[in-house]
Amino acid sequence: MPSTKNLSPKQLSALTASLLALPIAAGIYVLTGNRVFGLASLLIIFSGSYALILFTLEKFIYRKIKLIYKLIHQTKATKKEEVYFKYILPQKSIDEVREDVEKWGEKRNEEIELLKKNEAYRKEFLQNLAHEFKTPIFAIQGYVDTLLGGAMEDAVIRKNSLRTPPRMWTGW
């Protein structure tokens, strides 16, 4: 039996219809002994089963695959994508579609990891920024508190408090 791994839906339908029609038509020929009746039954059974199998494959299975692709892209399909869904996708085997979905999943996982790293970087940056703002504000608050606590009346302390910038500001 030939490999059915990379067959198109039409080829798979024809193969399956042949496998159904040949033994049935052969049985009809053996039972009736009439070649014309056997050949006619072969053509009718083949064409009916081919149409039914092709319809089933295209309308049910590939419609579900198309929905998966639309879900993956999460957008309304453009004209280019519609052409892809209509003409190219039915040419793909289920294994190729599975590979596409796996690649999409890996890409999404990489994006999620990148977002997590960026979030951690953002949190660390904001913590450092908050610390850098708090330190000089607390130093200024300490000097103001000293001045309000009575250092305003003492000229030496007042002069030192107002002239000497805090040591942690030397880098500014």
Side-chain angles (χ1 to χ4, degrees), residues 70-155:
K70 285 182 182 179
L71 177 67
I72 285 173
H73 297 294
Q74 294 180 351
T75 58
K76 188 174 181 180
T78 63
K79 289 191 180 207
K80 183 179 178 184
E81 290 170 333
E82 285 297 328
V83 168
Y84 175 79
F85 291 143
K86 189 173 184 180
Y87 297 110
I88 297 171
L89 182 60
Q91 306 294 323
K92 286 189 164 195
S93 70
I94 300 294
D95 290 333
E96 291 170 323
V97 172
R98 179 187 49 79
E99 289 172 6
D100 286 349
V101 171
E102 287 174 354
K103 286 178 189 174
W104 173 80
E106 290 171 4
K107 183 179 173 186
R108 291 293 180 235
N109 285 340
E110 289 172 3
E111 289 175 0
I112 290 170
E113 289 300 316
L114 180 63
L115 289 172
K116 287 180 181 177
K117 287 178 184 176
N118 287 343
E119 176 66 16
Y121 176 77
R122 185 189 67 80
K123 281 182 180 179
E124 183 180 342
F125 175 76
L126 289 176
Q127 288 172 348
N128 289 339
L129 187 65
H131 174 72
E132 291 299 323
F133 277 132
K134 279 191 228 175
T135 304
I137 289 172
F138 285 146
I140 292 168
Q141 189 178 20
Y143 281 107
V144 169
D145 207 23
T146 302
L147 290 171
L148 292 175
M152 285 294 267
E153 285 76 34
D154 188 347

Side-chain angles (χ1 to χ4, degrees), residues 35-67:
R35 282 188 185 180
V36 174
F37 191 64
L39 190 58
S41 64
L42 175 68
L43 292 174
I44 292 170
I45 294 169
F46 176 80
S47 61
S49 59
Y50 174 79
L52 183 62
I53 293 167
L54 184 62
F55 174 79
T56 303
L57 282 175
E58 288 183 347
K59 296 300 177 191
F60 291 106
I61 295 172
Y62 278 95
R63 183 171 33 156
K64 297 296 183 189
I65 290 173
K66 288 177 188 179
L67 288 175

